[in-house]
Amino acid sequence: MSHSAVVSQAGAVSVSIGNERSLRRSVFKQNNSISFNSKSWSSSLALNQKTTNVRDAKRYTSRTICMSVQQTSCSKVTVSPIELEDPNDPPLNLYKPKESYTAKIVSVERVVGPKAPGETCHIVIDHDGNLPYWEGQSYGVIPPGENPKKPGAPHNVRLYSIASTRYGDFFDGKTASLCVRRAVYYDPETGKEDPSKNGVCSNFLCDSKPGDKIQITGPSGKVMLLPEKDPKATHIMIATGTGVAPYRGYLRRMFMENVPNRTFGGLAWLFLGVANTDSLLYDDEFTKYLKDHPENFRYDKALSREEKNKKGGKMYVQDKIEEYSDEIFKLLDNGAHIYFCGLKGMMPGIQDTLKRVAEERGESWDLKLSQLRKNKQWHVEVY
């Protein structure tokens, strides 16, 4: 199978596929062989690579194209291979901890500004089409080295929400992206960093270099899958920090990719809570969607160190939810899906806010929550 990419006058990237063999519906069990050929891409995509090899992760490192984190100037991109749309059920646990898949790091890019507390990286992984996934699923990562609690055994699996669509950042179905914050421990008494207590997996990922090998398990998860039967549905997405990862995948699928027979005509509403402006993740992408699709996308930010809520305290994501609570409740009553992803600590404050709003409306929050769960409108993934 081979394909070439062309740039139309409108600026959209079209990826065409030539199929050399019949495609089976059991696509998740087969080894797709899709590779960029040696044809040059338009210079407007800032691509300068004469030849590519799909089995070499380094093929990605010498180019910056509209698929990358910081580029959002392209129009919709036609994606391939379209057989990734065929299966009725999501791929689950294709690789397990004892038989993990060896992938390669394509790139590691810091995606927060200098004033952000801590470091967050966007990490692109080359799985060569062998580890397909759906939007909202997670990969497990097994960091190298020995488990200190089980001498001789490998480290435990760490789960990370996938931050790309099933086609990956390069739209060829061969990569996946993770959004990872480096976990650093500071001694409360001395205030100094204690490397022995730093997050093993997050530091391994953020320190990785292109071409490094990485052990992957999964994909896993069904709770955060994006329901797509109704293209006009409303999706309310609430995130803190790196919890925005699955929503980046949703939104790229809705607004960046030209997926055959899938046109999103509903409403996507993203609430993102971070510390400050420098901590915003994928803000360029989201701002571009807001400009290009004002009828279908809303984007509200809660910057806890820069904004105040109506009571004069720090602005958290639950304060933004309360600000728009009447509208949110009406959308939920009309069948909207609501998603929560981020640290566990976000949920108590959000639940308290929703309960208070429900009571002010003369409703029982417990009954409403039970109904939302029954209708499969309620999606929560916290860590």
Side-chain angles (χ1 to χ4, degrees), residues 55-102:
R55 298 191 179 280
D56 184 358
K58 293 181 181 179
R59 68 187 190 222
Y60 296 110
T61 60
S62 62
R63 58 187 178 174
T64 301
I65 47 184
C66 71
M67 303 78 161
S68 72
V69 173
Q70 72 273 39
Q71 286 282 356
T72 57
S73 59
C74 290
S75 299
K76 278 203 168 188
V77 181
T78 298
V79 294
S80 288
I82 59 173
E83 65 264 26
L84 290 178
E85 301 292 325
D86 288 348
N88 292 319
D89 297 310
L92 287 170
N93 301 314
L94 301 180
Y95 290 88
K96 299 181 180 179
K98 291 185 178 180
E99 296 178 343
S100 59
Y101 179 77
T102 302

Side-chain angles (χ1 to χ4, degrees), residues 252-269:
R252 283 172 77 91
R253 186 162 172 83
M254 292 170 179
F255 302 124
M256 184 180 285
E257 297 179 343
N258 182 15
V259 181
N261 302 318
R262 291 193 186 277
T263 300
F264 180 68
L267 172 66
W269 191 353

Side-chain angles (χ1 to χ4, degrees), residues 1-6 13-17 33-41 45 47 49-57 59-60 63 65-67 77-81 106 126 128 167-175:
M1 210 182 268
S2 65
H3 65 271
S4 61
V6 295
V13 180
S14 175
V15 182
S16 59
I17 292 291
S33 56
I34 305 143
S35 60
F36 281 103
N37 65 15
S38 59
K39 199 169 184 177
S40 296
W41 286 47
L45 298 183
L47 173 63
Q49 181 173 323
K50 294 181 179 178
T51 59
T52 57
N53 181 347
V54 75
R55 298 191 179 280
D56 184 358
R59 68 187 190 222
Y60 296 110
R63 58 187 178 174
I65 47 184
C66 71
M67 303 78 161
V77 181
T78 298
V79 294
S80 288
V106 173
D126 179 0
D128 202 22
Y167 297 99
D169 282 8
F170 297 91
F171 307 111
D172 62 356
K174 291 189 171 294
T175 68

